[in-house]
Amino acid sequence: TYETFGAVAKQHFNGDALGKWVLTGGLGGMGGAQPLAATMAGFSMLACDVDESRIDFRLRTQYLDVKASSLDDALAKLADAKEQGRAISVGLLANAADLYTELVERGITPDVVTDQTSAHDPLNGYLPQGWSMAQAASMREQDSAEVVKAAKQSMAVQVRAMLTMQQRGAAVLDYGNNIRQMAK
């Protein structure tokens, strides 16, 4: 992940990531390496996850620097770090489809956008918009097809937001989790 972010810095920012920030979703499994890798490469990062325990775990293991209480708080933390000339990783409890869409609606475009949610597993790995973790767990038992359908619809919302950010100048990359195909 560090090598990927280093390559993004080299390809898009003449090797200098300082003052640039990455937006991503997913802090579980392999996604948990993203905040540390980003800051090691010189980027700041806003990483969201729907499971607060993943954010807290990354804080405890020092893969993530701070947790934000809201999007405005997260953006302020990113701005403060940029002003101070340092990289920071910020975790935010949020659904990626919601967060990415809100950024688009606010006209905020990160420098880099990616995703490491478990989009490859729409039944168990991607929480549909508007659903709680408990609701998703219950629905997996009751109607797994509905969970998959709702998850894919949410992925489509997220990918549309990613494409809008790309059109606005963000470097956007798929990180091998199949989100584009699931969204399609």
Side-chain angles (χ1 to χ4, degrees):
T1 302
Y2 167 76
E3 293 293 332
T4 298
F5 290 141
V8 170
K10 185 175 181 180
Q11 183 176 349
H12 296 279
F13 308 109
N14 296 318
D16 185 10
L18 198 59
K20 309 292 187 216
W21 66 284
V22 179
L23 170 66
T24 192
L27 287 170
M30 290 181 62
Q34 293 181 104
L36 181 59
T39 57
M40 286 173 58
F43 287 102
S44 285
M45 173 173 274
L46 173 53
C48 70
D49 203 291
V50 295
D51 184 344
E52 193 165 16
S53 71
R54 291 178 181 164
I55 296 168
D56 292 340
F57 179 74
R58 299 305 173 198
L59 286 166
R60 279 194 310 277
T61 58
Q62 298 181 351
Y63 273 64
L64 183 64
D65 294 322
V66 296
K67 180 168 45 173
S69 59
S70 67
L71 176 55
D72 289 332
D73 182 37
L75 294 171
K77 290 176 184 326
L78 291 170
D80 287 346
K82 181 176 182 175
E83 187 176 300
Q84 295 171 15
R86 64 184 178 86
I88 189 172
S89 58
V90 181
L92 179 65
L93 181 63
N95 182 295
D98 292 334
L99 176 61
Y100 287 38
T101 299
E102 184 171 351
L103 288 168
V104 165
E105 289 170 356
R106 289 187 183 197
I108 298 169
T109 304
D111 299 289
V112 181
V113 181
T114 190
D115 177 76
Q116 271 198 341
T117 61
S118 296
H120 62 279
D121 182 2
L123 178 60
N124 299 298
Y126 193 98
L127 185 68
Q129 286 182 285
W131 290 32
S132 68
M133 299 283 280
Q135 177 186 4
S138 174
M139 284 298 291
R140 284 184 196 105
E141 300 286 323
Q142 296 173 28
D143 189 351
S144 61
E146 180 59 30
V147 176
V148 170
K149 178 182 173 188
K152 287 182 177 181
Q153 288 171 337
S154 295
M155 287 180 220
V157 168
Q158 182 182 346
V159 169
R160 279 193 291 276
M162 292 170 77
L163 291 171
T164 299
M165 290 182 218
Q166 183 179 41
Q167 291 166 350
R168 293 179 179 174
V172 177
L173 55 131
D174 180 326
Y175 217 93
N177 63 356
N178 210 29
I179 193 167
R180 290 181 298 171
Q181 188 61 38
M182 291 293 181
K184 183 179 175 187

